Amino acid sequence: MAARIRVLNVVAAVAIVVILYHVGRALDWELEARLQEYREGFSDATAASTQAIAEGGDVQPLGNARGLETASLQGLPKEASTSLMALHVADPDAAMPVKTVLVEDAAAGSAGAAEEVGATAEGRSQESPGSSEGGLNLPSDTAEVTNPTAGTTAREAATDATSTNPPTADSPGAGASGDQQFATGVRPILHEGRPLLPDLKREIWEKPPLGSAVPAREEFALRHEMVQHRQRENVVVVTFANHAYLDFVLNWVRHLTDLGVYNILVGAMDTKLLEALYWEGVPVFDLESGMTTDEPGWGTPVFHAIGREKVTLINVFLSLGVQLLLCDTDAVWLRNPLPYMARYPQADVLTSSDYLTRSVDDESLEHWDRVQGPYNIGILHFRPTDPAKHFARAWAEQLAGDSKLWDQRGFNDLMRQKLGPDVHPEGNDNVFWAFDGTLKLGILPVALFCSGHTYFVQHLYRKIGLEPYAMHATFQFTGTGGKRHRFREAMAFIDPPEYYDPPGGVLSFVNNIPEELLIGGDHSLQTHFNLANYQLTNLRSALAIATILNRTLVSLPPLPLSL
């Protein structure tokens, strides 16, 4: 009997090994199939890009290789315009029409009037980046603090300003009627004259009564009364999205309200998102974008159109005289950011950064002359000062002149026209002169306003022993799904209960690692790969067992490395 049991055990063990082998082969085949799909997609995209370059077209960077949309001009009409900020996909050699939008006395309640002018991208590109028909006034504190290296052009622009009695920069509603004209490319999304419905004054997360109807779309139009109802201490926190990012928006809002931040507005780029947020009790306004509800690919015309919506929002909110904290939906707030922004009333603009090395070990702004990476516009704080408004106009005009220019690239190009010196060298607040020499800029600390790399990979905040304010799901290459996964790994994504109860149940495993692999021998490239390969084998076995049992593998243990 004992011998028979031993034989049966051996047979069972062999059967399990064979099953694991074949499951592993199946996983290998699936992985190879996906890699081949990636290679073919990348090859096709490269060929299309090469053809576009040969024919004189411009090629934008590409996003995911699966389902690639090339940004070349192949298959597009010579002029295919959308409703977004005069965005055009045009023949590279053709003059591209742009629009100038006039908005008269928005706070007084008059309707915005749009006027199209016959300017061209070529003509606009010959003007100075900050050119605008409206006058430029320096803020009240500029008389005391001026940039000794500022160019003559900026000073002359300030001297020749035609506006009279400029509003106080931070007074509620200031500037709403002072900006008589927006820059080229800013859409007229302000609609005054219609009172805000009581139904749209509900507290955040207070849902409409059952059986009620969604108000008419025009009731969600952005206007001064809506902004004033939501602002607190003249600050409003804003994001915007289409329906593809509904769960990101809800996650973004939930984290802020959990931190006690309620002065929130969300711009909806399509009706589907607008109605969904209304039923969730989230303060929402209509961006009137006519945007697709699908996720846009990086570098596509729709992607660039979304970037121009951001610049429209900045111009519009600054015209209403409020401070604006504008943040992408693929970021999560971990601490209330408003007290931090209030520490720097002298800064016209605060921006996050993609720099991967910190220049400070506390909560100070980064040293501008040490930060070599690009500024990241996923988190921006604007004060309604004249230099900030002037920059916003210049940014809009720049993007209106080139429909393929990435908004973040444009921001960096403009801000870096002139850098330094420090505004207060003796004060050590790290606010510095930028743009045309009259704008005061600060760079948020990269260890606290984290990119995907400084948070998820480097954990810079741990190295200085501080709690971060935000994490931004950048530096990952699997689209929206990858961003979601990153937040879930950090326990920072709010999922419905059914997400945690998958069909078949879940499976976790303990990663038992031999001590000699962890601490034995020299730390070399070979010992690193020995340790990594052992753990990958364990993980592969766990995936195979989960597949056989129809369970979802969860609770992955830490995977230490020896380098």
Side-chain angles (χ1 to χ4, degrees):
M1 177 64 71
R4 183 177 298 176
I5 292 175
R6 284 195 296 271
V7 170
L8 290 175
N9 286 339
V10 171
V11 172
V14 171
I16 291 174
V17 170
V18 171
I19 291 173
L20 290 176
Y21 171 79
H22 285 289
V23 169
R25 289 292 303 274
L27 292 174
D28 284 345
W29 293 334
E30 173 66 16
L31 177 60
E32 180 59 31
R34 294 186 181 184
L35 288 174
Q36 183 61 29
E37 183 180 356
Y38 180 92
R39 296 187 193 103
E40 292 173 355
F42 186 80
S43 177
D44 293 343
T46 303
S49 300
T50 304
Q51 182 180 359
I53 294 172
E55 296 179 1
D58 293 329
V59 178
Q60 296 294 332
L62 299 172
N64 298 331
R66 298 182 66 185
L68 281 170
E69 294 182 59
T70 63
S72 69
L73 304 178
Q74 307 306 312
L76 291 174
K78 288 297 184 181
E79 289 205 21
S81 64
T82 74
S83 62
L84 302 176
M85 278 189 61
L87 173 72
H88 295 263
V89 179
D91 187 293
D93 299 324
M96 183 174 63
V98 295
K99 293 184 179 180
T100 297
V101 174
L102 303 178
V103 178
E104 299 180 355
D105 201 3
S110 61
E115 177 183 352
E116 184 172 344
V117 297
T120 66
E122 296 172 344
R124 176 63 58 189
S125 65
Q126 296 172 358
E127 301 177 11
S128 62
S131 61
S132 123
E133 296 182 22
L136 169 67
N137 287 332
L138 293 177
S140 56
D141 62 340
T142 307
E144 300 177 5
V145 182
T146 58
N147 182 359
T149 65
T152 306
T153 303
R155 295 184 179 276
E156 290 176 351
T159 304
D160 296 338
T162 57
S163 301
T164 59
N165 301 321
T168 303
D170 291 335
S171 61
S177 60
D179 288 357
Q180 297 298 319
Q181 178 172 318
F182 286 127
T184 298
V186 178
R187 295 189 302 104
I189 62 173
L190 276 176
H191 299 281
E192 303 296 347
R194 180 186 294 272
L196 190 64
L197 293 178
D199 198 30
L200 300 183
K201 295 182 179 181
R202 300 179 187 277
E203 296 297 324
I204 297 181
W205 302 121
E206 182 183 348
K207 298 183 178 182
L210 292 175
S212 60
V214 179
R217 183 173 178 178
E218 55 266 23
E219 300 294 347
F220 294 92
L222 183 64
R223 49 202 183 275
H224 185 253
E225 183 186 359
M226 180 184 288
V227 175
Q228 284 303 303
H229 179 72
R230 295 296 173 184
Q231 62 83 24
R232 298 292 183 271
E233 298 182 0
N234 202 39
V235 180
V236 63
V237 187
V238 177
T239 193
F240 66 104
N242 68 352
H243 191 265
Y245 297 93
L246 172 61
D247 55 347
F248 280 86
V249 173
L250 295 176
N251 191 64
W252 185 89
V253 177
R254 176 61 69 185
H255 276 83
L256 280 172
T257 55
D258 285 351
L259 294 168
V261 179
Y262 299 98
N263 44 331
I264 294 169
L265 277 171
V266 178
M269 304 180 74
D270 58 69
T271 305
K272 192 174 181 181
L273 177 66
L274 187 146
E275 294 182 354
L277 294 180
Y278 169 78
W279 289 117
E280 291 289 342
V282 173
V284 59
F285 65 92
D286 187 7
L287 262 173
E288 305 174 16
S289 302
M291 179 64 66
T292 174
T293 59
D294 298 328
E295 179 185 349
W298 200 99
T300 63
V302 175
F303 171 87
H304 290 301
I306 291 175
R308 281 139 182 81
E309 294 291 80
K310 175 179 290 187
V311 183
T312 285
L313 287 175
I314 292 171
N315 276 272
V316 169
F317 277 94
L318 290 183
S319 78
L320 296 175
V322 293
Q323 294 181 43
L324 173 66
L325 177 55
L326 185 62
C327 175
D328 289 351
T329 58
D330 63 340
V332 168
W333 291 104
L334 305 173
R335 293 170 64 186
N336 183 348
L338 300 183
Y340 187 94
M341 306 302 171
R343 297 179 194 175
Y344 299 96
Q346 69 275 34
D348 301 304
V349 180
L350 296 172
T351 179
S352 57
S353 170
D354 281 338
Y355 195 48
L356 300 182
T357 303
R358 68 187 190 279
S359 64
V360 295
D361 291 327
D362 52 21
E363 293 200 358
S364 303
L365 297 174
E366 298 286 351
H367 294 285
W368 64 271
D369 52 347
R370 302 183 198 173
V371 174
Q372 305 301 320
Y375 309 138
N376 187 292
I377 60 174
I379 299 176
L380 290 172
H381 180 268
F382 276 79
R383 292 183 180 273
T385 61
D386 287 316
K389 295 175 184 178
H390 178 43
F391 173 82
R393 294 188 192 103
W395 193 11
E397 291 174 352
Q398 175 202 49
L399 296 178
D402 184 354
S403 66
K404 301 181 185 68
L405 179 62
W406 185 20
D407 56 344
Q408 182 166 294
R409 171 65 182 272
F411 180 92
N412 277 268
D413 287 348
L414 288 175
M415 278 298 186
R416 294 174 183 273
Q417 287 179 349
K418 292 184 179 179
L419 291 181
D422 290 302
V423 174
H424 300 105
E426 70 287 350
N428 197 31
D429 58 12
N430 294 340
V431 176
F432 62 100
W433 300 102
F435 178 41
D436 60 358
T438 65
L439 182 141
K440 288 168 283 188
L441 181 64
I443 304 172
L444 298 169
V446 299
L448 300 181
F449 295 83
C450 303
S451 68
H453 204 283
T454 59
Y455 186 90
F456 297 104
V457 180
Q458 298 186 54
H459 308 291
L460 281 185
Y461 61 94
R462 294 180 183 172
K463 297 178 181 179
I464 59 176
L466 295 174
E467 291 296 319
Y469 282 90
M471 60 172 103
H472 188 188
T474 55
F475 290 92
Q476 61 84 40
F477 305 97
T478 53
T480 304
K483 295 173 185 287
R484 236 182 243 109
H485 184 68
R486 274 272 170 88
F487 288 151
R488 284 168 174 161
E489 283 184 317
M491 302 296 290
F493 202 80
I494 300 171
D495 284 294
E498 55 268 22
Y499 173 77
Y500 298 95
D501 187 20
V506 299
L507 176 73
S508 63
F509 81 101
V510 177
N511 191 22
N512 292 318
I513 306 174
E515 184 175 346
E516 59 269 19
L517 287 178
L518 286 172
I519 60 176
D522 297 330
H523 287 288
S524 64
L525 189 61
Q526 185 58 52
T527 59
H528 162 75
F529 278 116
N530 291 342
L531 176 59
N533 290 337
Y534 179 87
Q535 296 177 88
L536 289 174
T537 301
N538 285 348
L539 179 58
R540 172 176 166 171
S541 297
L543 287 169
I545 295 171
T547 301
I548 294 172
L549 298 177
N550 192 30
R551 295 192 178 191
T552 300
L553 184 63
V554 299
S555 302
L556 293 181
L559 302 176
L561 301 176
S562 62
L563 287 182

